[in-house]
Amino acid sequence: MALQFKNTLTGKKEEFTPIEPGMVRMYTCGPTVYNYAHIGNFRTFMFEDLLRRYLLYKGYKVTQVMNITDIDDKIIRNSQKQGKKLREFTDPYTDAFFEDLDTLGIERAEIYPRATEHIDEMVAMIKTLADRGLAYEIDGNYYFKISAFNDYGKLAKLDLASLKPGARVASDEYEKESVSDFALWKAWDEKDGEIFWETEIGKGRPGWHLECSAMSMKYLGEHFDIHTGGVDNVFPHHENEIAQSEGCTGHQFVNYWLHAEHLIVEGKKMSKSLGNYFNLRDLMDKGYSGMAVRYVLLATHYRQQLNFTFHGLDAAAKALERYNDFIRNLESYDGGESDGSAGEIVETARSRFEEQLDDDLNISGALGAVFDLIRDINRLKADGKLSADEAESALELIRRFDTVLGFEMQQAGIEEEIEELIRQRTEARKNKDFATADKIRDELLSRGIVLEDTPQGVIWKRKV
RNA sequence: GGCGCCAUAGCCAAGUGGUAAGGCAGGGGUCUGCAAAACCCUUAUUCCCCGGUUCGAAUCCGGGUGGCGCCUCCA
């Protein structure tokens, strides 16, 4: 089966065909760096990581762009509150974002453009839109004229006439021809203080939607393959991006729009007032590993609302342990006598894994194939019916899967002191001094080291 | 009011017409000095409810019930 994605634009599952064979250009909406990103944000970034990794697995060359939004109302407000310059305020959160990506094992995109470094491109777009009659200016503010763009609403399936002015619209402080029109450029205001750019179209700052249009087209071209984000971005953000971009170029902007559902916590919408709002650092402080969080965020299909629970986090850690033990145990396996069944087990796992992921990234189905492989190979191993060569091919396969899953944990070395304790315990066991041996084992466990006595000797691992 | 999504075991979660994947948790065993890891057996006669279509429905259709999202800068 060929790779298929559910395309928000068409509402259908469609076969994926890149514009340029063998090459995928994708834009993934990134963080607004006014705070630490929360686990809901990372759910979306994790989905994008899966998408990226699977495209690479399939042999595509991938160019992924993720923007860093480092200018918006909240950033201005909070930076001023703290008496900091823009970059002084946003840089630490930008750094923290990249640290968090590493903690979660999320691969880096090729390009991370900052909005504040692309003002010229945005201004150029506004001028083009104005020339084409799609933008107008009032008191130094520039707005996109929705009524002049026929396709408006095609992504979100919104009928313009049905857009009712609501409370949020009424709160808009700017004058506009139509309440539905959105800001491309905001003229400088006293409240903006030192935050402004002097440009051909005046003194001010860009609207939010424009940066993604300007930066995606700069790095990926006027027409590219995939654009992703959270479901809340469908409207208005992505709808507006289409309007701006296609308004400028006069042709199709993006072929496939993919959107990740939201994460909820213990069955409820995550919110600060409910006390169920978590960023990654909160979870690390509670003693959970980045990998366990990775597993939880990855394991639910991206179009399914993900119910994040602490019980689920514990379950994820156990599942990861099984996965990593499988790899570790295969590595130290001496081999037995083949009964000839391993080859089919490996091939079945490979085809099921790919078939599931080809189907709109059905990760739950793919994980089913992975854990079936683990059970089936472990069974052969337990029965002594797995040869060393077969063990090697199973190991190769799971490592191949791991280029997509990213679950394998590197075992950092252990300190000399711990090695010494392990030696002492081995000695004690040799002398049948089990009381001492068990005491050392408990001591190591409390320090996060788990020991296993095998026929080949003692091995250790870190607790997940 | 408009558009859309969801409901499968104690928990998480696949499956969209051919007789219920997988993970976690629970119970019983094998192995082990004891563990750990691993393996075996076991845990949904049934998929929110009521009708209908069909040889056959968790899957399709109609009607309910319950939960959720978006409707102008929230991933």
Side-chain angles (χ1 to χ4, degrees), chain A residues 27-42:
Chain A
Y27 188 87
T28 49
C29 277
T32 301
V33 284
Y34 69 98
N35 203 336
Y36 296 113
H38 58 66
I39 54 174
N41 299 128
F42 285 117

Side-chain angles (χ1 to χ4, degrees), chain A residues 307-327:
Chain A
N307 187 15
F308 183 94
T309 65
F310 285 95
H311 180 260
L313 214 40
D314 294 332
K318 300 289 282 186
L320 270 176
E321 201 174 338
R322 179 165 165 79
Y323 180 95
N324 276 280
D325 284 346
F326 175 70
I327 294 174

Side-chain angles (χ1 to χ4, degrees), chain A residues 287-296 309-325 371 407 409 461-464:
Chain A
Y288 292 100
S289 71
M291 266 306 155
V293 178
R294 176 180 179 85
Y295 190 98
V296 166
T309 65
F310 285 95
H311 180 260
L313 214 40
D314 294 332
K318 300 289 282 186
L320 270 176
E321 201 174 338
R322 179 165 165 79
Y323 180 95
N324 276 280
D325 284 346
F371 282 102
F407 290 158
M409 290 181 281
K461 66 179 179 184
R462 286 186 199 279
K463 224 170 147 26
V464 181

Side-chain angles (χ1 to χ4, degrees), chain A residues 183-234:
Chain A
L184 297 165
W185 184 261
K186 298 178 178 184
W188 180 79
D189 179 283
E190 262 181 29
K191 285 185 300 201
D192 297 342
E194 293 172 21
I195 300 172
F196 61 83
W197 283 263
E198 284 286 6
T199 73
E200 288 177 62
I201 58 170
K203 177 177 174 179
R205 60 189 169 93
W208 172 43
H209 310 298
L210 192 57
E211 63 171 276
C212 288
S213 289
M215 299 193 292
S216 61
M217 292 203 285
K218 172 171 181 177
Y219 295 103
L220 298 172
E222 291 181 355
H223 179 208
F224 57 94
D225 300 296
I226 301 175
H227 193 130
T228 71
V231 280
D232 54 300
N233 279 159
V234 173

Side-chain angles (χ1 to χ4, degrees), chain A residues 3 55 146-147 165 256 315 345 439:
Chain A
L3 181 58
L55 288 167
I146 285 175
S147 60
Y256 303 88
I345 289 169
K439 206 178 139 212

